[in-house]
Amino acid sequence: MKKLIKFLPVVMIAAVLTSCNSVKVAADYDKQVDFNTYKTFAFFKTGIDKAEISDLDKRRILRAIEAELFAKGLIKSENPDMLVSIFTKSQQRVDIYNNNWGWGGWGWGGFGWGGFGPGWGGFGPGFGWNNQPLVSTTNEGTLFIDFIDANKKELVWQGSGTGYLPSKMEKKDERIKEFVSKMMEKYPPGMNK
């Protein structure tokens, strides 16, 4: 039992880090639309300009979307069938885990066992309660990709991906590609059944 209690903090930290690494995706679409009719696309500048992220991140996202659409056989065009827009939301996520069990800290006196002196947590580490919570802060973001019918000017498909956002530039490219790739697995609708 003591070994289990000793390793629970490690398991909790691993669970937090693992949950931060996953991207949760969803898609919604108009069931009346035949997505096979969309062969060409262009980016909808008006919508993209409103996205509240840096121009560098916008370019990263647009390059990733473009690569995914090319891989699906669509062609970029001046006279497109479909317009592509994006928008984002972000929030700081704070997770607090109360760690009210495990090995105690340093202390003096008392009765019982532990440390260099008698007592629960005599002078040295002893068994007791650790009242210091584990606090984890991450930036969580949601990326939305909208596909708009260029002729009707109607939204026909929307993908969303939510997950941890890294602050280091080297990791941003890969993370953005992961967001877009996982969302685009859901386009066109019905292909991944």
Side-chain angles (χ1 to χ4, degrees), residues 7-148:
F7 290 108
L8 275 174
V10 174
V11 171
M12 286 179 59
I13 291 170
V16 169
L17 293 175
T18 303
S19 69
C20 290
N21 287 333
S22 64
V23 176
K24 297 174 192 94
V25 297
D28 194 11
Y29 63 95
D30 184 340
K31 292 182 181 179
Q32 303 300 315
V33 172
D34 178 6
F35 288 91
N36 293 318
T37 62
Y38 298 113
K39 305 290 183 200
T40 60
F41 73 96
F43 291 111
F44 185 54
K45 185 173 174 11
T46 305
I48 292 167
D49 286 345
K50 292 178 184 178
E52 295 181 5
I53 54 174
S54 75
D55 288 343
L56 293 170
D57 284 342
K58 282 181 191 176
R59 285 194 294 272
R60 288 180 178 105
I61 294 168
L62 298 180
R63 281 192 291 261
I65 294 170
E66 189 174 74
E68 290 290 330
L69 290 175
F70 286 159
K72 292 181 181 291
L74 279 81
I75 300 167
K76 198 169 182 182
S77 171
E78 294 292 323
N79 189 18
D81 303 323
M82 181 172 66
L83 298 172
V84 179
S85 188
I86 62 168
F87 69 97
T88 60
K89 291 182 183 178
S90 67
Q91 64 186 25
Q92 190 172 55
R93 178 176 162 176
V94 178
D95 294 312
I96 301 172
Y97 301 95
N98 287 324
N99 185 11
N100 289 330
W101 42 265
W103 292 98
W106 294 84
W108 288 98
F111 297 99
W113 54 271
F116 292 116
W120 281 70
F123 181 68
F127 186 77
W129 299 103
N130 180 357
N131 291 321
Q132 296 177 353
L134 172 65
V135 179
S136 169
T137 304
T138 57
N139 288 322
E140 186 175 73
T142 304
L143 170 63
F144 294 88
I145 300 174
D146 292 343
F147 292 163
I148 303 160

